[in-house]
Amino acid sequence: MITIYDRAAAGTGLVSRAPAQPIGGDTIWIDLVDPTQDEDAAIEAALGISIPTRAEMREIESSSRLYADNGATYMTAFIIEDIDAPLPQSSTATFILTGGRLVTVRYSSPKAFPMFVARAEKGMVGCRDGGDVMMGIVEALISQSADLIERMQDEVEKLTAQLFHVKGGLQSRTRRLDVVLRATGKEGDTVATVQETAMSLERLLNFLREMLRRGGGEPQAIERIAAAMSDIASLNEHLSFLSDRTTFLLNATLGMITIEQNQIIKLFSVMAVMLMPPTLVASIYGMNFRYMPELTWEWGYPLALGLMFLAALIPFVYFKRKGWM
C-alpha cells in the first residue's frame, strides 16, 4: 500500500492525498506498507531510486543498512511493532532520503507512524522536508520505546513483590515461582528487543548526523539529531538497569526453586532415616530361625511394635531439636 503526504501550508504539517495523483513539488513523504512489486517499481521509476526488498532490509551488516547510493541516503533500523502486545516483537523499517523527500518502507504497522501522522495532520509538528518527517517519526519511535520501558519497570516491580512475598504451602509456592520465572523470562526477552531497537536507532541517527555534517546540513537539524541521541542514551541507561534487574530476578527465582526442591529432598531424606531403626527392628523379628527365644513371649508382639515406634520417635525428636524439620 502506498500513502503519499504533501507539505501543508508554511510547512506546519502534512496533507495526505490519493496515490493515483502524480508526485508533485510539495510531496515530502511516501509511505510504503507491505508494498507489492508493482508499487516498488512505480516509486523507483518516479524518484529514480532503488527500493530494498524485505530480505535486503533484514541484512545485519552496517554497510547493507546504512549507505548512500545515487544521491539517496538509505537507513534501515529495527523498530518495535506493538508495545501493547504481551511480548512485543521487532521488525525493520527503511528510511530513504532523496531530493528533500522521505520514502519509508515497512512490513509492519507500529503505532508510532499513525501517531506522528495524526499530529502532523493537525499541524502540531514542523514538516518542511523529508528530513523533518523522518526525525518526527524517529522521535515518536523513541517515545514509544520509553513508554514500553516504563511498563516494563512496573512489571518488574510487581514480579519482585511476588517473588519475595510468596506464601502458602509447598505446592502453591512452587506453582507461583513457576509463574514468576516465566514472567521474568518474558520481561528479559522484551528488554533485549528494546535494546536492539535503541541500538539500531542510535546507529541510524549517528549515520544521518555524519551525512548532514558532510553535506553542510542545517545546524538546527544536527542539534535535533543530537537531542534524539541523548534521549536514546537515557533509554539505554534504563534498559541496562532493567537488564540487570531481570537477571537478578531470574537468578533469585531459580535459587528459590532450588531451595524448594532441596526442602523436598530433605524431607524424603529425613523420613528415610527415621524409618531405618523401625525397619531394623521389624527385620530382626521377621527372621525365620527355628529357635528364637522371643517367639514364646506373651507380650512379644506389642513389645516389638513399641520398639519400632520408639525407634522412629527418637530420631524425629532429635531432628526437630536440631531444626532439620
Side-chain angles (χ1 to χ4, degrees):
M1 181 181 70
I2 301 177
T3 307
I4 299 177
Y5 297 91
D6 288 350
R7 177 177 45 235
T12 56
L14 296 174
V15 177
S16 62
R17 63 179 179 82
Q21 299 177 2
I23 297 174
D26 289 330
T27 300
I28 59 173
W29 181 21
I30 302 171
D31 188 24
L32 301 177
V33 183
D34 199 5
T36 64
Q37 292 184 353
D38 291 339
E39 291 173 337
D40 282 347
I43 298 302
E44 289 175 345
L47 300 181
I49 61 174
S50 175
I51 303 297
T53 64
R54 190 170 189 174
E56 292 172 340
M57 291 170 61
R58 296 295 300 179
E59 296 288 343
I60 61 175
E61 302 92 341
S62 296
S63 58
S64 299
R65 303 175 69 85
L66 306 169
Y67 61 94
D69 181 40
N70 196 24
T73 303
Y74 295 78
M75 294 161 285
T76 302
F78 286 105
I79 57 176
I80 300 294
E81 290 187 12
D82 185 5
I83 67 169
D84 296 326
L87 188 61
Q89 301 294 324
S90 66
S91 61
T92 54
T94 297
F95 301 86
I96 306 172
L97 289 175
T98 176
R101 296 188 179 95
L102 171 68
V103 178
T104 55
V105 186
R106 53 194 175 96
Y107 293 86
S108 62
S109 300
K111 292 185 177 180
F113 280 79
M115 285 178 56
F116 169 76
V117 170
R119 295 183 60 202
E121 289 181 339
K122 294 178 181 178
M124 299 173 62
V125 292
C127 297
R128 296 171 301 170
D129 55 19
D132 283 346
V133 175
M134 176 180 171
M135 284 307 303
I137 296 173
V138 171
E139 289 166 352
L141 290 169
I142 294 173
S143 177
Q144 289 280 285
S145 297
D147 293 339
L148 179 55
I149 291 173
E150 292 173 359
R151 192 193 77 182
M152 287 190 296
Q153 286 178 330
D154 294 338
E155 291 295 328
V156 170
E157 291 295 333
K158 292 179 182 178
L159 290 174
T160 302
Q162 292 179 17
L163 176 61
F164 293 107
H165 296 85
V166 176
K167 298 180 181 180
L170 182 61
Q171 184 176 2
S172 176
R173 292 198 306 270
T174 303
R175 189 181 303 112
R176 293 182 185 181
L177 287 173
D178 180 69
V179 172
V180 172
L181 181 63
R182 294 176 183 273
T184 302
K186 185 190 73 172
E187 293 303 323
D189 184 67
T190 304
V191 169
T193 300
V194 181
Q195 283 179 322
E196 180 186 44
T197 300
M199 184 181 300
S200 180
L201 288 176
E202 186 176 27
R203 290 175 179 173
L204 180 149
L205 290 173
N206 187 55
F207 177 79
L208 178 60
R209 182 176 61 179
E210 292 302 317
M211 293 297 294
L212 289 178
R213 285 176 176 175
R214 294 175 185 177
E218 297 181 0
Q220 184 179 359
I222 297 176
E223 290 177 2
R224 187 176 182 183
I225 294 174
M229 293 181 67
S230 177
D231 291 339
I232 292 178
S234 178
L235 294 184
N236 283 328
E237 292 179 1
H238 287 283
L239 288 170
S240 178
F241 169 76
L242 277 176
S243 179
D244 293 340
R245 191 75 179 275
T246 52
T247 301
F248 164 74
L249 283 176
L250 183 63
N251 292 333
T253 305
L254 291 173
M256 295 188 71
I257 291 176
T258 301
I259 291 174
E260 295 292 342
Q261 292 175 341
N262 289 340
Q263 290 291 338
I264 297 174
I265 300 301
K266 179 181 176 181
L267 178 61
F268 280 111
S269 300
V270 170
M271 293 298 297
V273 173
M274 286 176 54
L275 292 175
M276 284 175 62
T279 303
L280 177 62
V281 175
S283 299
I284 292 174
Y285 289 101
M287 293 186 294
N288 294 320
F289 291 110
R290 181 174 181 181
Y291 298 103
M292 293 184 67
E294 293 88 352
L295 290 177
T296 58
W297 288 1
E298 184 177 353
W299 297 95
Y301 177 70
L303 177 62
L305 292 179
L307 285 174
M308 287 188 286
F309 175 76
L310 186 62
L313 180 62
I314 292 175
F316 176 80
V317 173
Y318 179 79
F319 293 154
K320 269 289 188 182
R321 299 181 96 179
K322 287 291 186 179
W324 297 346
M325 293 185 63

